[in-house]
Amino acid sequence: MSNFFGPLSPTRRNFLATTGGVIAGAVAAPRGVSASAAQSEDSQTSTPRNRRKILIGVFDPAFPDLTLDQLVEKYQQMGVEAAEIGTGGYPNNKHCPMDDLLADPAKLRAWKKKFDDHNIQVATLSCHGNPVHPDKTIAERDDQTFRKTVLLAEKLDVKVIVGFSGCPGANPTDKNPNWITYRWPPEYAAAQDWQWKEKVVPYWKDAAKYARSHGIHRIALEMHPNFMVYNPLTLLKLRDAVGEEIGANNDLSHLFWQGCNPVEVIHMLGKQGAIYHAHMKDTVLFPDKVARYGVLNFIFEKQDLKTASDAFRAVGYGHSASTWKDIMRAYMDVGYDGIFSVENEDPILSGEVGVERALYVLKNVREELLTEPQLA
């Protein structure tokens, strides 16, 4: 069987040589990330250092049309080792009838057994929503989804819950979320301070306390535009205010276009023990469009690519396999103990194809890292 890249099982020795320029040859590596991470075995003379094999999983919204039975079969066929499962909110809960599972221990055991029987670890539950939305109905709905997800994680012995920080309005009477990133004119600074002090910090203090009371100590917030936590600095701001229950879902696809260096981010957050989850998703930046329009020209639909400055892509289609090797090495070097979770929102490689391509890159890069000699 073969795909775009050729045979599905190339030798580790030639993988980066054959894919580093093919997959994302048109996109330069981020500043500070090597153009080619592969090193010849002859150049390595120091003794190896142990690296942990980080499981590679898939976030289930990539397969919205499959039943749970079909999903676990598909995962097994694709060699998926772990699962991130949506429990509600924006990811929905297509494969996780949470109310039923919480109400009936037998149904919960049967649900979990489907994954166990296919040798797939249920590693993470995800309930991305906006629990501080100015519409109280939406806020209460998403808060309840979070709290039910905590209870389900407790029953399943799942250690990590993934979500968004949320975004409130700009004042007590606002009816819509208001994402403020620029603190001038001064009314914007005042509104942003109100959001943090009156809404975001109090909510997450209470939510973290609830999670902690049920044995959940890792809330992985995705740094995402249109939410209060959208970059490493805002993540650390909330973590400092709330406590170490708050950490990152380190989805680099949202950080590439902001100009972050992925390796620097991983080392900075990793050294603080603040990375709880890692979405594996790429972003392509089109230099000519960035030069004309800037980076705040992100598109989501294939028909808009002709005017796009940037767009999500499957791993390896925005940055080279060599760059992703640097990224995965950084995760290993900081002792990251979560999973690599493939999320597919590629406007060209949809569904199974995008996941398959990402798995191909990640598995081969991981094998390179686990077998190469390492510096002491």
Side-chain angles (χ1 to χ4, degrees), residues 284 286 289 299 301-309 311 347-348:
V284 62
F286 300 101
K289 303 301 192 305
I299 67 94
E301 303 297 333
K302 184 177 180 179
Q303 63 266 24
D304 297 326
L305 281 168
K306 60 183 178 294
T307 60
S309 295
I348 300 173

Side-chain angles (χ1 to χ4, degrees), residues 115-368:
F115 292 92
D116 293 341
D117 288 348
H118 291 80
N119 198 31
I120 298 165
Q121 177 187 334
V122 179
T124 315
L125 300 179
S126 292
C127 55
H128 302 69
N130 188 353
V132 294
H133 197 290
D135 185 323
K136 289 185 178 180
T137 301
I138 296 174
E140 290 173 2
R141 179 199 67 194
D142 290 351
D143 174 59
Q144 285 302 307
T145 298
F146 170 79
R147 291 172 187 271
K148 289 178 182 179
T149 302
V150 166
L151 297 179
L152 185 60
E154 181 182 27
K155 291 178 180 293
L156 291 169
D157 196 29
V158 168
K159 304 301 184 185
V160 180
I161 291 174
V162 183
F164 291 138
S165 61
C167 185
N171 56 63
T173 62
D174 214 343
K175 297 184 182 301
N176 293 298
N178 195 321
W179 186 46
I180 301 167
T181 61
Y182 201 85
R183 290 175 61 83
W184 192 90
E187 58 265 32
Y188 289 92
Q192 189 184 62
D193 291 342
W194 178 85
Q195 290 176 315
W196 279 96
K197 181 180 178 181
E198 300 298 330
K199 292 295 181 180
V200 179
V201 171
Y203 174 79
W204 283 108
K205 280 187 175 180
D206 185 63
K209 180 180 178 181
Y210 181 80
R212 187 166 57 246
S213 71
H214 289 279
I216 306 301
H217 300 281
R218 294 190 170 196
I219 302 170
L221 297 181
E222 186 167 337
M223 297 172 280
H224 194 290
N226 281 329
F227 296 105
M228 299 300 292
V229 169
Y230 63 91
N231 64 11
L233 193 62
T234 50
L235 175 84
L236 293 174
K237 179 178 180 177
L238 187 60
R239 180 178 168 93
D240 288 343
V242 171
E244 293 187 357
E245 281 78 20
I246 300 298
N249 168 25
N250 201 42
D251 187 331
L252 295 172
S253 70
H254 306 304
L255 304 185
F256 283 129
W257 65 266
Q258 293 186 58
C260 294
N261 180 306
V263 172
E264 290 291 330
V265 169
I266 292 165
H267 280 282
M268 178 185 66
L269 295 179
K271 288 175 181 176
Q272 300 180 60
I275 303 177
Y276 294 158
H277 190 55
H279 273 175
M280 306 306 272
K281 186 174 68 184
D282 213 338
T283 295
V284 62
L285 288 92
F286 300 101
D288 59 329
K289 303 301 192 305
V290 171
R292 295 173 191 168
Y293 312 133
V295 297
L296 295 178
N297 179 37
F298 210 97
I299 67 94
F300 300 90
E301 303 297 333
K302 184 177 180 179
Q303 63 266 24
D304 297 326
L305 281 168
K306 60 183 178 294
T307 60
S309 295
D310 26 38
F312 293 136
R313 295 305 312 270
V315 170
Y317 283 78
H319 296 82
S320 71
S322 296
T323 296
W324 281 98
K325 184 176 182 181
D326 284 343
I327 290 167
M328 293 174 76
R329 179 190 290 111
Y331 278 117
M332 292 178 178
D333 286 348
V334 300
Y336 170 64
D337 61 358
I339 68 167
F340 292 141
S341 183
V342 172
E343 181 184 26
N344 187 67
E345 293 181 320
D346 192 309
I348 300 173
L349 304 175
S350 59
E352 182 175 349
V353 177
V355 171
E356 182 183 53
R357 302 289 172 83
L359 290 173
Y360 177 88
V361 175
L362 294 172
K363 286 192 172 187
N364 279 281
V365 168
R366 182 181 65 182
E367 191 67 13
E368 289 272 353

